[in-house]
Amino acid sequence: MRASRLLSLLLLLQTRGRMTAPELAAELEVSVRTVYRDVEALSAAGVPVYADRGPAGGYQLLDGYRTRLNGLTAEEASSLFLAGLPGPAAELGMAEVAANAELKLLAALPPEPRSHASRMRERFLLDVPGWYRSSDDVPHLGEVSEAVWEQRPLHMTYRRWGQKEVDRVIHPYGLVLKGGSWYLVAAPPDGSPRTYRVARILTLETLPGRFARPDGFELGSFWQAYAKEFRERMYTAEAVVKVAPGREDLLAYTMGADVVAAALAAAGEPDPEGWRTLTVPVESITHARWVLLRMGADVEVLGPPQLRALMGEAVAELVKLYG
């Protein structure tokens, strides 16, 4: 265990440069005191690691020092091939580059990890888009990705919800692939980061010059916070429903597993017939009507009154239609 941690510490210093003891401790999930001992052990083993004192100080390796150890286990090498999604790589214009990198990685691996990685590639496939939908058409993705990489400002015509077209000058910070759709995280020159769906970019022009990325911006943290805020903003109302015995799974499939799981955790015991009363968040009353009609007679809406009335009207129309 300690040998693996020492190797991780060495690779952190090699890839990131100077790091403080608290930063290393956070990355390795150990105490600062343990970091001190591990650095002493590396130094005793002949690794040229030294410390700079002062507020901007930290540990770093002697300039030019590189370890030849890659530390890849068979499982770690295999996981890299799961990360190589051919579809997204092709959309970014990197299909050939990704394929060449994969071949070079396989050639560089020792026999056992190479065999393990080859089996992983043969037996597991990541298909990003969900069922009943295809990936977005993203003709501007290559130019967007280049602007992200080169820190080039962009001028675009963008189609917002409701078919409204707007012009924007933006600084592109990063790209995110979510559920088969590409999203651009970008900000106006004097504004805060926001998200744009790349498939809705109608025209695009790369502007001259470069922009400076804001200090401290981290794409993963931003996207995680954005996704949480989006979920909270999406649910604007609540519905009280009774679910037929054994149909909770169907409700979870219809309304979302996390939403129904939270509702079940807060629900009381079933009634004598086995029906359970749940309070579930919904996007809107009209959207809830459309979603809950898919459950047929396996769910009864108790409230709010407006939603129950809409369900009754829909059922009356169905009776009129089918007799």
Side-chain angles (χ1 to χ4, degrees), residues 112-124:
E112 183 183 352
R114 184 190 309 136
S115 174
H116 203 286
S118 296
R119 290 199 305 273
M120 178 71 77
R121 185 176 56 176
E122 293 168 357
R123 302 177 191 193
F124 294 91

Side-chain angles (χ1 to χ4, degrees), residues 235-250:
Y235 298 116
T236 62
E238 287 184 336
V240 181
V241 299
K242 283 179 66 176
V243 186
R247 306 307 282 169
E248 294 87 354
D249 287 347
L250 178 59

Side-chain angles (χ1 to χ4, degrees), residues 143-190:
E143 189 174 356
V144 169
S145 66
E146 185 175 350
V148 168
W149 185 254
E150 299 291 340
Q151 296 179 214
R152 300 280 191 182
L154 294 171
H155 175 262
M156 68 177 180
T157 304
Y158 185 76
R159 188 180 73 248
R160 299 175 61 182
W161 289 105
Q163 305 300 313
K164 182 180 179 181
E165 296 182 9
V166 295
D167 283 335
R168 292 284 186 269
V169 173
I170 55 172
H171 292 170
Y173 295 160
L175 284 163
V176 177
L177 179 63
K178 173 71 171 178
S181 297
W182 285 99
Y183 294 87
L184 171 64
V185 178
D190 298 317

